[in-house]
């Protein structure tokens, strides 16, 4: 059983707000953690401690900061197995996926440790004689990070790594469904990072809102739903804090022609079903040229049937449960709405009974056929293992479907035709574009979305500097 309050300064302190518990989504009767939430007063103390720690940290040369931060990454790696188990216990994904999440977080963090030393300042030519111009980047200050429950280490580390490496302090408010991993991350930081540089505030929306609204916060980085993103954007605007919002997606794979259709469908199925479909970058629409429709639909249904649902800690499990009862109800209702609107449920379409795990939040991998672009299952984020298949006759129609949603996170095209590839690269209205593979991103490439999928700087790789530092134009005249 995990039991945590809040890491304020360098000490764990019981929260003054109402406490809460987490459960194992595969066995909801089993309590996994007890947490006490931070009050607004405690958030105020954390912001003060962060500001104090950041004043000292920003004075540490960036190369040295990178070296200290790299020791923190080593401390995370040393606890990889404990971290992976905490993810599976509260979030539900299979242990192998949880281990991969920990390792990807560390790989992205190692890039950031190096990025601290590389810096992003520029020497510029001057318009006047005897002058040198520079564009300097400096740490932004105290960062508030709010994270969802689907990637309990990857998303927090995507925010902690650039924040610390670029000289900031950070206060993390993890999801109230998966706080254990965040608390273990904070444990790993103790004795490695200076006190107050990384603090953890537990709680739900109220704690998050208090954090975002604190005047001492210079930047708010949020990953989560569009509705919450809007609220956070508005609240941060009250004190003009910079924001980086990473929101939802309704990601499509367009299959125009595929040299190896089996490999294509394998990648799409993985991208749709990993984390039980609860990934912002999950493929949830397959847009297929009509002559390939029958083969694609049949292949997806067959692959959906191969999933082994179960407790993520059990060897052999390939898909865990959804993370909470609300999510199970939401996915079920959305698929039912799709069926009412005329979609055909080709497989799945219901919660799944797993022997011995009755009451677990399992949902059967689902393929919906005959989906029209106007249907809700073609437009709204489902965040479950559900693929909507839409057919097209010509490329204009394919691009109209691909871009005809409010989201713009990631996209994939399968085609050997160079002109189709070029058009996709020019016209796909998404932050990330993949050709002839699924939607798994690299550890050093910008990650983010356009339209309703994101606001502000992308995270991961060099782009993070745009949010985690401020820019200063410097003019030096030789005396
Ligand atoms: P959510 O928006 O409900 O919550 C996210 C975080 O915000 C949680 O920590 C929550 O406690 C906090 N929060 C909720 N209301 C708040 C408020 N009023 N003020 C301050 N904080 C508040 O999202 P979720 O249900 O945890 O996650 C699922 C969503 O996240 C999906 O829509 C998914 O697409 C999105 N997501 C996006 C990305 C991305 O990178 N684009 C990655 C993962 C998840």
């Amino acid at each position: 059983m995990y039991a945590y309050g809040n890491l304020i300064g360098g000490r764990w302190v019981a929260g003054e707000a109402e406490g809460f518990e987490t459960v194992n989504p595969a066995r909801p009767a089993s309590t996994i953690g007890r947490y006490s939430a931070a009050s607004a007063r405690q958030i105020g103390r954390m912001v003060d401690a962060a500001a104090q720690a950041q004043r000292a940290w920003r004075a540490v040369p960036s190369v040295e900061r990178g070296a200290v931060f790299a020791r923190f990454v080593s401390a995370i790696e040393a606890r990889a197995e404990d971290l992976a188990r905490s993810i599976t216990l509260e979030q539900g994904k299979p242990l192998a996926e949880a281990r991969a999440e920990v390792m990807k977080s560390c790989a992205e963090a190692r890039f950031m440790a190096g990025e601290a030393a590389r810096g992003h300042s520029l020497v510029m030519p001057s318009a006047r004689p005897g002058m040198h111009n520079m564009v300097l980047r400096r740490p932004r200050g105290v960062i508030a990070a709010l994270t969802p429950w689907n990637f309990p280490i990857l998303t927090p580390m995507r925010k902690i790594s650039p924040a610390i490496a670029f000289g900031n302090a950070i206060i993390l408010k993890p999801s109230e469904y998966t706080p254990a991993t965040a608390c273990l991350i904070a444990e790993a930081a103790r004795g490695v990072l200076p006190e107050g540089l990384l603090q953890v505030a537990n709680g739900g929306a109220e704690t998050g809102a208090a954090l975002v609204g604190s005047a001492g916060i210079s930047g708010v980085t949020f990953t989560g739903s569009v509705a919450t993103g809007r609220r956070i954007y508005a609240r941060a605007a009250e004190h003009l804090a910079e924001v980086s919002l990473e929101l939802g997606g309704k990601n499509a794979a367009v299959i125009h022609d595929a040299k190896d259709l089996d490999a294509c469908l394998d990648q799409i199925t993985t991208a749709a079903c990993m984390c039980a479909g609860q990934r912002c970058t999950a493929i949830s629409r397959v847009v297929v040229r009509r002559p390939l429709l029958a083969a694609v639909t049949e292949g997806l249904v067959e692959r959906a049937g191969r999933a082994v649902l179960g407790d993520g800690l059990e060897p052999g499990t390939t898909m865990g449960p959804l993370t909470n009862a609300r999510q199970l109800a939401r996915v079920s209702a959305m698929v039912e709405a799709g069926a009412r609107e005329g979609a055909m449920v080709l497989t799945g379409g219901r919660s799944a009974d797993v022997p011995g795990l009755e009451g677990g939040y399992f949902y059967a991998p689902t393929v919906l056929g005959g989906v029209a672009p106007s249907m809700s299952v073609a437009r709204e984020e489902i965040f479950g293992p559900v693929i909507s298949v839409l057919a097209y006759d010509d490329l204009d129609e394919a691009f109209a479907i691909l871009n005809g949603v409010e989201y713009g996170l990631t996209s994939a095209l399968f085609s050997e035709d160079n002109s189709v590839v070029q058009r996709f690269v020019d016209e796909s209205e998404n932050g990330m574009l993949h050709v002839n593979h699924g939607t798994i991103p690299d550890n050093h490439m910008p990650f983010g979305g356009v339209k309703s999928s994101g606001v502000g700087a992308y995270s991961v790789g060099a782009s993070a500097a745009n949010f985690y530092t401020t820019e200063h134009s410097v003019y030096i005249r030789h005396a």
Side-chain angles (χ1 to χ4, degrees):
M1 171 86 76
Y2 300 103
Y4 285 102
N6 306 276
L7 187 65
I8 304 181
R11 285 195 317 121
W12 287 103
V13 178
E16 294 168 346
E18 205 178 324
F20 61 99
E21 291 185 349
T22 57
V23 301
N24 180 344
R27 308 166 189 274
S30 159
T31 302
I32 299 299
R34 288 213 171 91
Y35 306 89
S36 58
S39 65
R41 196 185 73 89
Q42 288 178 310
I43 294 287
R45 279 177 53 203
M46 294 171 92
V47 174
D48 291 345
Q52 196 184 338
Q54 198 262 335
R55 275 193 291 277
W57 183 239
R58 64 178 296 155
V60 175
S62 58
V63 175
E64 172 63 11
R65 283 201 310 253
V68 173
F69 180 72
R71 289 202 285 280
F72 166 61
V73 182
S74 299
I76 295 279
E77 284 164 347
R79 293 161 189 249
E81 195 58 20
D82 288 349
L83 287 158
R85 280 183 71 83
S86 73
I87 294 170
T88 296
L89 283 169
E90 286 188 336
Q91 196 280 332
K93 66 184 69 175
L95 193 55
E97 272 186 37
R99 287 179 178 136
E101 185 187 332
V102 176
M103 295 329 289
K104 184 167 173 59
S105 307
C106 292
E108 290 184 1
R110 291 263 174 227
F111 178 90
M112 276 308 162
E115 202 64 357
R118 283 188 285 274
H120 290 267
S121 298
L122 292 172
V123 174
M124 296 287 286
S126 168
R128 285 164 283 197
M131 301 265 295
H132 277 143
N133 291 357
M134 289 185 288
V135 181
L136 281 187
R137 286 202 172 264
R138 296 196 201 140
R140 185 172 289 281
V142 178
I143 304 292
L146 300 107
T147 54
W149 40 258
N150 53 346
F151 286 95
I153 185 166
L154 188 67
T155 314
M157 285 298 287
R158 265 186 195 167
K159 300 177 187 313
I160 293 168
S161 303
I164 303 288
F166 283 118
N168 304 284
I170 184 165
I171 302 171
L172 171 65
K173 209 289 298 159
S175 167
E176 58 274 40
Y177 292 103
T178 55
T181 312
C183 295
L184 294 179
I185 293 171
E187 288 284 2
R190 290 176 88 198
V192 182
L193 296 179
E195 277 185 10
L197 219 49
L198 166 60
Q199 300 175 87
V200 174
N202 276 315
E206 210 173 310
T207 305
L211 180 59
V212 174
S214 299
I217 297 292
S218 309
V220 178
T221 169
F222 167 78
T223 300
S225 60
V226 173
T228 306
R230 282 203 177 93
R231 277 185 217 114
I232 286 176
Y233 201 176
R235 197 157 170 85
E238 285 169 18
H239 59 108
L240 295 178
E242 182 64 275
V243 294
S244 171
L245 309 176
E246 296 195 340
L247 309 171
K250 186 68 187 173
N251 314 300
V254 177
I255 308 178
H256 189 69
D257 53 275
K259 196 158 86 179
D260 184 346
L261 191 60
D262 279 333
C264 160
L265 297 181
D266 284 348
Q267 290 177 73
I268 288 175
T269 307
T270 303
C273 294
M274 194 191 286
C275 199
Q278 302 168 113
R279 294 191 309 136
C280 55
T281 52
I283 289 177
S284 75
R285 297 181 294 154
V286 173
V287 184
V288 53
R289 204 161 55 88
R290 203 171 297 278
L292 296 173
L293 179 63
V296 165
T297 308
E298 197 180 304
L300 291 173
V301 168
E302 189 259 320
R303 282 166 179 76
R306 287 186 208 159
V308 181
L309 276 69
D311 183 331
L313 289 182
E314 295 292 333
T317 297
T318 64
M319 192 191 292
L322 300 180
T323 298
N324 54 53
R326 196 183 62 174
Q327 194 61 20
L328 180 60
R330 195 181 117 90
V331 173
S332 305
M334 290 192 74
V335 171
E336 280 163 24
R340 276 198 306 279
E341 290 168 38
M344 291 174 299
V345 178
L346 303 175
T347 186
R350 52 176 173 73
S351 57
D353 293 324
V354 179
L357 296 173
E358 290 75 17
Y361 306 137
F362 295 97
Y363 196 81
T366 297
V367 179
L368 301 176
V371 176
S374 58
M375 292 179 185
S376 52
V377 286
R379 290 181 290 104
E380 293 169 21
E381 183 179 52
I382 299 176
F383 228 52
V386 181
I387 300 175
S388 297
V389 182
L390 299 96
Y392 68 89
D393 292 303
D394 62 53
L395 267 186
D396 286 343
E397 193 184 358
F399 279 90
I401 296 171
L402 170 67
N403 293 330
V405 292
E406 69 161 312
Y407 295 102
L409 190 59
T410 193
S411 54
L413 167 73
F414 290 84
S415 179
E416 295 287 310
D417 182 332
N418 189 39
S419 63
V420 178
V421 172
Q422 292 291 344
R423 188 166 170 189
F424 175 76
V425 169
D426 287 341
E427 294 183 24
S428 172
E429 294 172 0
N430 287 279
M432 294 172 282
L433 284 64
H434 299 257
V435 176
N436 291 323
H437 66 97
T439 54
I440 309 278
D442 276 353
N443 301 327
H444 66 291
M445 284 284 283
F447 181 101
V450 297
K451 295 160 74 176
S452 291
S453 291
V455 176
Y458 284 14
S459 61
V460 189
S463 305
N466 295 326
F467 174 73
Y468 291 94
T469 63
T470 50
E471 213 170 18
H472 307 267
S473 291
V474 180
Y475 301 82
I476 303 175
R477 183 202 267 297
H478 297 292

